[in-house]
Amino acid sequence: MKKRFTILHLAGAVVLSFGAFAGGTCLLLKSWVGSPWPLMRLAQTLHLIQQHYVGNVDQSKLYDGALKGMVSILGDPYSSYLNHEDFVSLSAMTEGHFGGVGMVMGVKDGQFIVVAPIEDTPAFKAGIKAGAVLTKINGKELKGLSLDQVVKQIRGQNGTQVVLTLQQGKEKPKEYTIVRSDIKIKSVYGKMDDHGIGYIRITNFSEDTAKDFGTELQKLQQEGMKALVLDLRDNPGGLLQSGVGVARYLVPKGPIVSITDKQGRTDTETSTLEKVGFPLAVLVNHGTASAAEIVSGAIQDTHTGKLFGTKTYGKGVVQNVYMLGGDTALKLTIANYYTPRGRNIDKVGITPDQVITADDDAGSNQLTAAEAYLKEQLGAK
């Protein structure tokens, strides 16, 4: 009798424990996703496919497909599910190297746009320009593809070939046959002219950009730099913190950028610089985007420099990467950012203080105007 009583108590404890676990799981799911029933339908669909679909089933691809579909329904070109291959590719990009042709893509008005070719890469050498519309890859239309799918098709192993069809403005579409290479990006280039005007070009914002910019700026100052041209043309952006790091050398004490999330919480990145010790001119164009717009917007709003060129791309949102396990991740738009004067430039861009359309591929007239302004500033001292 005592043994039976003990077994009944044990069985009851197991039932209660399972009930508590199931109840806790349901409460957790409800706090995460609201009603758990849609999640149950997802699990049921996966089960039915595995049990009854007549073709072969790769379980991992089913999960990847479900996650990609969930994110794509957001309609946000900057949010995506990253499988293992995608995550490795993104990591390589932010670290400063990746395999491909060397151009950064974006989406505007439903079209795939070249935000900027990266300097000294196959795309740059082939003559591809910022603002060109990509219409085909290897002769195939891009209808129905996401931005990540397009980028994935462009990238590939070093030495392989890809044919890109692009349209620049009202010109006829043109095919570019490009051999992919291992794109190793040096993001900061500097030099000095005979008048004491330094020139620093930043091609993108990767992990080491702020540090490399500081090194180059110090080198030019030691050489007697009196004024600086900062060239952000065709800079597609990159890591927000790298952009903030560069801005801290060029923006006086106060806000650089404010980031506001879904809950309305605002985090402001600031500078502690007492003052900018030299006249500053910044070159921008349609290929200036994201972190490059944070830097140029902060300089314009704080009146520490003057912007020359054409209106920037207009990407005023911030993404974060959340690890999901197994070297997969979710890249998600989580916030809007605002310049020091409270401007959100998403889909709007930044209009330069002096609008100058490039009269050649190098935009020589834009650089000439910036240098003339700096010479005036130096002469006024």
Side-chain angles (χ1 to χ4, degrees):
M1 187 74 177
K2 186 177 180 181
K3 184 177 180 181
R4 183 181 173 191
F5 179 77
T6 304
I7 292 172
L8 285 173
H9 272 72
L10 181 61
V14 169
V15 170
L16 285 171
S17 297
F18 178 78
F21 172 76
T25 301
C26 286
L27 285 172
L28 181 61
L29 284 173
K30 189 172 183 180
S31 69
W32 277 5
V33 299
S35 172
W37 301 120
L39 201 57
M40 294 298 292
R41 288 200 296 273
L42 176 63
Q44 185 181 15
T45 301
L46 290 168
H47 171 73
L48 290 171
I49 290 172
Q50 291 175 1
Q51 292 297 311
H52 302 293
Y53 175 61
V54 70
N56 295 324
V57 177
D58 184 326
Q59 190 180 65
S60 64
K61 287 184 178 180
L62 286 178
Y63 286 118
D64 280 352
L67 293 167
K68 283 180 184 290
M70 189 185 302
V71 179
S72 68
I73 205 69
L74 299 174
D76 176 19
Y78 306 117
S79 295
S80 58
Y81 164 71
L82 307 173
N83 62 20
H84 173 72
E85 185 179 345
D86 297 331
F87 179 70
V88 169
S89 178
L90 177 67
S91 299
M93 178 72 174
T94 56
E95 288 166 6
H97 68 89
F98 60 93
V101 304
M103 64 185 194
V104 178
M105 298 299 300
V107 176
K108 213 165 193 177
D109 300 326
Q111 295 179 310
F112 297 105
I113 307 290
V114 178
V115 175
I118 298 168
E119 200 163 309
D120 294 330
T121 64
F124 182 87
K125 292 172 183 176
I128 294 173
K129 304 287 191 304
V133 178
L134 179 65
T135 59
K136 295 179 183 178
I137 300 176
N138 293 327
K140 294 182 180 179
E141 301 282 350
L142 308 181
K143 188 176 179 180
L145 296 182
S146 67
L147 177 61
D148 280 337
Q149 289 170 325
V150 167
V151 170
K152 197 171 181 179
Q153 288 188 31
I154 295 171
R155 291 181 183 173
Q157 193 172 356
N158 184 14
T160 60
Q161 204 173 76
V162 62
V163 180
L164 306 176
T165 305
L166 296 120
Q167 184 173 11
Q168 188 81 45
K170 295 182 180 179
E171 297 176 7
K172 290 183 178 180
K174 181 180 177 181
E175 282 191 355
Y176 296 81
T177 300
I178 303 177
V179 177
R180 299 180 179 99
S181 69
D182 183 24
I183 310 298
K184 296 178 181 178
I185 306 170
K186 178 185 175 184
S187 63
V188 179
Y189 300 79
K191 63 181 180 179
M192 181 90 82
D193 74 4
D194 296 333
H195 303 283
I197 296 177
Y199 171 91
I200 296 181
R201 170 158 173 73
I202 303 178
T203 60
N204 72 297
F205 289 90
S206 55
E207 287 181 357
D208 295 329
T209 300
K211 180 189 71 176
D212 292 345
F213 176 82
T215 300
E216 189 62 40
L217 182 63
Q218 184 180 40
K219 176 174 170 284
L220 291 175
Q221 288 174 318
Q222 288 171 348
E223 293 173 4
M225 186 191 81
K226 300 173 184 176
L228 176 66
V229 174
L230 175 64
D231 192 347
L232 297 178
R233 292 175 296 182
D234 293 331
N235 182 321
L239 297 176
L240 181 145
Q241 287 302 324
S242 289
V244 169
V246 168
R248 286 189 171 125
Y249 289 99
L250 303 171
V251 175
K253 187 182 292 185
I256 293 170
V257 64
S258 296
I259 303 152
T260 303
D261 66 13
K262 185 175 183 176
Q263 286 73 38
R265 293 177 300 220
T266 298
D267 180 31
T268 301
E269 298 285 356
T270 60
S271 170
T272 58
L273 186 68
E274 287 300 328
K275 70 172 186 174
V276 180
F278 45 82
L280 174 64
V282 184
L283 300 177
V284 297
N285 64 4
H286 180 75
T288 305
S290 188
E293 290 176 294
I294 287 175
V295 176
S296 51
I299 290 169
Q300 186 180 62
D301 278 11
T302 56
H303 306 292
T304 54
K306 191 171 180 179
L307 273 56
F308 296 81
T310 54
K311 184 182 281 191
T312 64
Y313 182 78
K315 182 176 182 285
V317 290
V318 179
Q319 287 72 48
N320 196 13
V321 176
Y322 299 94
M323 295 304 300
L324 301 176
D327 279 342
T328 64
L330 174 65
K331 183 172 66 135
L332 191 66
T333 297
I334 59 162
N336 295 302
Y337 74 74
Y338 300 85
T339 67
R341 283 197 295 147
R343 293 184 292 165
N344 177 248
I345 54 88
D346 195 47
K347 300 183 179 67
V348 176
I350 297 170
T351 300
D353 300 291
Q354 188 171 334
V355 176
I356 305 171
T357 302
D359 61 2
D360 60 21
D361 289 347
S364 304
N365 58 324
Q366 296 169 333
L367 177 59
T368 298
E371 290 175 334
Y373 162 74
L374 293 176
K375 288 173 184 176
E376 287 177 10
Q377 297 299 301
L378 291 172
K381 287 188 173 182

